[in-house]
Every structure is written in C-alpha cells, then in structure tokens.
Amino acid sequence: MATRKDLANAIRALSMDAVQKANSGHPGAPMGMAEIAEELWNHHLSHNPKNPNWSNRDRFVLSNGHGSMLIYSLLHLTGYALPMDEIKTFRQLHSKCAGHPEYGYAPGVETTTGPLGQGIANGVGFAMAEKLLANQFNKPGHEIVDHSTYVFLGDGCMMEGVSHEACALAGTWGLGKLTAFWDDNGISIDGHIEGWYTDDTAKRFESYGWHVQSVDGHDVAAIGAAIEAAKKVTDKPSLICCKTVIGMGSPNKSGSHDCHGSALGLEEVAATRANIGWNHEPFVIPADVYAGWDATAKGAADESSWNDKFVAYAKAFPAEAAEYTRRMAGDLPANWKEATDAIIAATNEKAEGVATRKASQNVIGALAPLLPEFLGGSADLTGSNLTSTGSFVHVDAKKPGNYISYGVREFGMFAIMNGMALHGGLIPFGGTFHMFSDYAKSALRMAALMKQRVIAVLTHDSIGQGEDGPTHQPIENTAGLRLIPNMDVWRPGNSTETAVSWVAAVERKDGPSSLVLSRQNVAGMKHDAAQFALMRKGGYVLSDVAGAQVIIIANGSELELAVKAAAELNAAGTKVRVVSMPSTNVFDRQDKAYKDSVLTPGVKRVAVEAGVTDFWRKYVGLEGAVVGIDTFGESAPGGVLLKHFGFTVENVVATVKSVL
C-alpha cells in the first residue's frame, strides 16, 4: 500500500519527467506544493473525475499557472480523462496539457491561468457566485448550492496588483467558502525575492478581513488541521501561508530559482529519483499509488448524494429546481426571443435622442426582469455608467441582490466576473469609463480566450467626453479591443442599435462583448423593422441611393454626422450610401455576398469615427479616407472638441469630395 509520501512523490516524478521531456516548463512549484496538493485533493476536495461539470463540485484554481504540471498530475492521478499519453505530450502542439492550464483543454481545469494574480481573482468570482446562487436557491433544509473554492497561488500572484483588488473585496464580502494556499517559497524567476518583496503578507490579508494561518507546507498533518480550521470560519475567506521549498526533493537545485522555470536536467532528475526514493522509470506510476489517488468512487458517491438532495429539492420546489437547471446550463428563458423582439420594437418606436449610455440603461431595465441570472456592477461609476436601474438590488456580504459595487477596481472587477461566468448560473456585466478598459484589458482578453459570456459596459467613449481632458478620452481603446480575437465590440449609434447590441451580447454564449457607449446625446432614429436583423450582422445599409458613388461608414455618435453629410451631398448631386457599422467584429464574420452588398466593391469609401484612423483602412483602403483623430484629445466641452477635431458636416462633406 502506498504511503502518503509516495502519493506526494508521484506529483514530483510526473512533474519533473514531463518538464524534462518537453525541455520546457516549471517543475519547482509542483514539487514544492506536492504535500499541500495531496492533503487537499485526497482529504477535502469534493469533485467527481467522471463528471467534471457536476454543478456542486468544489472549485480548484491553480493561480500560479506556470506550475501547470501540478494540476495535470492531480487530474491524471485522481481519474480524470487525462491519460498518460497526454502527460507525455506536455507543452506540445494540440496537447491537452498546454504550457499553462487552459480552460476547455484538459477536463477539470476550471479556468485559464498563467497571467499571475488573475487566478486568485477568478477564485474570488467563483466564491462570490456560490454565495449569490446560494442566496437565491437554497431553502431551509435544502442547501443545493453548497461548495467551496480552493486556490493555490505563489509569490508572483501576491505581487500582482489585481490580487490586491480582488482579495480586498473578498474580505469585505466575507467569503467563508474561499480558501487560498500561498506557496511561500521565497523564489521568483529573478531569484530570492527579499530584494523586491518584503510585504508582511499575513498582516496585509488580515487587514483585508481574511482569516490567516501559517504552516509548514511539507507537514501534511499541519496542512490538514489548517484546512479544517479554515472551514470553521464561515464569515471570512482564509489564507493558509505555506512555507515550502521550491523543487523539494531535488538535491542540488531545490530552494533556488534554478528549478523555477526550466527542466532539472537528466542528471538532476536521476539524482532526485534517488533522493526521494522513487525507483520507477519515467512516466511509470505503480498500481498502489494509483489506488491511493483514485477519486472516482468517492466522487461518484459525493455527486450521487447531492443528486438525492436535488431530487428532494425538486419535489418541494419544482419551479426553483427547473430554474437552477436552466441557469447552470447557460440557457436563456423560453420567452427570450419574443420578449426581446418586443423590447427592440418598443425602443425603436420611441426613437429617443439620448446618450447611448442612457439608452443602455433603459435596455438593462427592460432585460433584468427577464433574466434572474443578470448580475450587474460598476467600478465605482454607477451614476456615470448608468448600469443600475430600479430592477436591481445592491448586494453585499450580508444582503442578497443582483448589483455589485466593485469599488475602484476595474481589473479586479472583470477578473472576478470571469470567475462568475466560469462558475455558471450568472450572466455578469460590469461598467467603467472606456478609458479604463486599458486597466482591465488583460482580464477582457482572458474572457475572450476562455470564450466566456462576460459583458463590458464602457461609457464616455470618445473626445465627446469633453472637459475631463485627454486622460479620460479613449482615442485608441475601441480599436484595441476590436483587435482581441473572439471579442465582439459594439459601438451603437442610437437607442435601437443599443438594444440590439445588448440582446446580441446576452445571447452570445461563446465569448465576451464590449458595449462602447457615448456620454453625449445622439440623434433619435426610427428604423424599418427589417433593419433589426441586419443590425445583428454588425454592419448594414442605413440609407441608400441608386448608383452610389461613395459609401460613408460610421457608428456611435458619428452616425448622425454621416447621415447629415450624406443628405447634403445627395442634395448637391453626389450619390452617397450610409452604412452603419456598430460591430466590425460581427460584420467581419458575415459571408462575402452580404459584405459585398453593404460595401460594394469598387465604390469609394469614407469612414467616420472619433478614434484612431489606421483601423479603418481595412474597410476604406488607401484610396479612401478616414475622418478620425490620431492625437490625444484636449480639455473642453465635448461639442467644442468635436468641432475642433473636424467632426463636422462640412469636414465630412469635404473629405468625401476629396476621394472622388
């Protein structure tokens, strides 16, 4: 029968063997955290390897994702569908064992980690989602949402600012089912960290409102006792500071940065085998070690027990059980299409001339009653982003609801939202000024990489922001977001387009959407009902004339400008088509026939957008023109700035004439 030492050493062996075979990777963290992992996964974690998507499983996040062989070893050993052949292809093309844990590759990987600090922030999102769903669904004697979130993190995660943002909020929320294990090994890529990291981490987390313990990270009894103590503290998240030796077991490289980010080398691998008493060939795991790790029977029993609870819950509360099942599947309500078609039609009928941020608020208010899973929030800018309506109840650590004040934490907010979306049962959206999407860019990119339904509400979208000046005027941000693969960016030009954008964002299950919205009012426009479906294609012909000589492409607050310029040109005999393009990303996915019907080949084009011009060359070509802005803005009223930078009918007319 395998000893617990053997079980931990299996992680060390698999990790150093896979990294050595790839000649690439990070063996040190898995080797140093082997005892922590063995204690947690074998004695505390509730999960079912045969059903990685069981909704009430505990969530595990490896925030220090460079140590990816730790989670791959755990998944393989405990019985997930991750065979040894996959372990052997670590870091190779099409392997499920990618260089960093990738959501959707290996079963059991809850989130993509690697950009340090974001994993712990995702973990906060998992724990917040559990708390919110428990508030909504649990009934006395029927706790169907009742699971924990465990996070491993390293020194790098502690240094990254996003971890401060998220962990401070976790303390405020009192997330008692969140436990983090800090791999306190004192080493980063550059070496011993005392030259650049001297924080009193324990006191810092205590100041956030966390329950903090310190243990020897190689003492399984102490680790187990700390986990049990953490479980008993139900009103605070827990941090267990685990003092470890990086590369534990390596006789010549442990305790140094030499084993942090590179293979140990064949000689050191052999020496480590001898040192830890692992007398097996590479990638060979004895049967008794497999038996000691196998979690399939316990996992099946855990899920079966929960299934029995859910059957009883469904009998007592059938409507709630059906709603829980729908939401965890990510499906929209049965009446979704009928209801949203009515919302779009009603919005179009009003044709209000309001800022698109206000139009967005109106749509949010209409959608919220349809979507109990809708979870709004803002990074301290609710009154400016207009992300809250009377349909929302502000939620905090003690009060259930569906709207979160995240504080001035843009990066933390979106990283937390990613965790919520991954957890399931919620459709999170969060607002900030568009300028500060740069603070959040890495989390938005991760949402796109993981194909998560997260919605960013980004207001004050251009120099029309006005008096706050160039620090708050996002000239390049919209173009930058459009360049993120799998990100849909919508910049609607009126209230109807705003409604369509929102509906499209909510319906999209395979990626995030960014809604870029104006502070200033835009013209009210009433559309033909046939145009609603065309808006969903990202770009469409707003107005046309036979034999158009020029196509003006515009969106956002500049759409009105394009319409006025086209009217003047058409009246003077120059035939102009106006194309509204609220989402270039969506338009680019249409078939060639449709795109050619909107942007007729051979017809000259002019794009109008209050942002950088280079992006639009893909549509207008070198022979076309762009009315845009390639400098930072200025501080003045928005209308003054738009005129100053050439966003006038006169300049658009002159630009159109210049390309003919």
Side-chain angles (χ1 to χ4, degrees), residues 62 64-68 71-72 98-103 105 109 111-114:
L62 185 69
N64 47 341
H66 54 273
S68 56
I71 193 168
Y72 299 144
H100 290 80
E102 297 281 355
Y103 177 78
Y105 284 44
V109 172
T111 180
T112 298
T113 55

Side-chain angles (χ1 to χ4, degrees), residues 421-649:
L422 287 158
H423 179 281
L426 299 169
I427 299 177
F429 69 87
T432 187
F433 286 166
H434 189 22
M435 187 66 247
F436 304 127
S437 62
D438 268 353
Y439 281 176
K441 183 73 67 67
S442 187
L444 293 170
R445 181 181 187 273
M446 294 300 288
L449 182 65
M450 295 188 287
K451 301 179 180 179
Q452 292 304 299
R453 179 162 48 187
V454 169
I455 302 169
V457 180
L458 307 172
T459 70
H460 299 57
D461 68 341
S462 74
I463 55 174
Q465 148 73 348
E467 292 89 342
D468 280 341
T471 60
H472 283 56
Q473 293 167 11
I475 304 307
E476 75 284 5
N477 294 55
T478 303
L481 286 178
R482 287 172 178 146
L483 295 175
I484 298 175
N486 202 42
M487 170 68 74
D488 280 359
V489 179
W490 292 86
R491 188 170 183 253
N494 54 50
S495 55
T496 304
E497 289 188 356
T498 304
V500 170
S501 301
W502 258 112
V503 172
V506 172
E507 289 181 359
R508 187 175 187 228
K509 295 178 68 172
D510 61 352
S513 300
S514 292
L515 308 183
V516 178
L517 307 170
S518 73
R519 176 199 189 194
Q520 70 273 22
N521 288 347
V522 299
M525 295 183 189
K526 187 172 287 190
H527 297 265
D528 293 334
Q531 288 184 322
F532 300 163
L534 300 180
M535 292 176 190
R536 295 290 299 269
K537 294 178 180 290
Y540 64 101
V541 177
L542 178 66
S543 63
D544 205 5
V545 294
Q549 300 165 272
V550 177
I551 300 171
I552 302 179
I553 311 167
N555 62 25
S557 52
E558 293 77 66
L559 186 59
E560 174 187 3
L561 183 60
V563 169
K564 289 180 176 178
E568 183 172 314
L569 286 159
N570 283 322
T574 300
K575 298 179 179 180
V576 179
R577 172 188 297 171
V578 176
V579 167
S580 176
M581 197 175 288
S583 179
T584 61
N585 308 94
V586 176
F587 180 76
D588 287 349
R589 292 201 294 270
Q590 305 309 309
D591 61 43
K592 185 177 186 300
Y594 178 74
K595 289 188 284 189
D596 285 351
S597 74
V598 175
L599 301 179
T600 305
V603 178
K604 297 290 182 65
R605 304 165 191 174
V606 173
V608 186
E609 184 178 59
V612 290
T613 61
D614 278 358
F615 174 85
W616 288 99
R617 288 291 169 189
K618 65 187 286 190
Y619 301 104
V620 304
L622 296 178
E623 70 280 5
V626 183
V627 178
I629 175 171
D630 290 315
T631 65
F632 294 114
E634 296 287 347
S635 182
V640 172
L641 291 180
L642 289 166
K643 183 177 180 181
H644 173 73
F645 286 106
F647 294 95
T648 63
V649 171

Side-chain angles (χ1 to χ4, degrees), residues 253-270:
K253 295 189 176 182
S254 64
S256 78
H257 68 281
D258 291 337
C259 63
H260 181 284
S262 58
L264 296 180
L266 291 174
E267 289 185 7
E268 189 65 13
V269 167

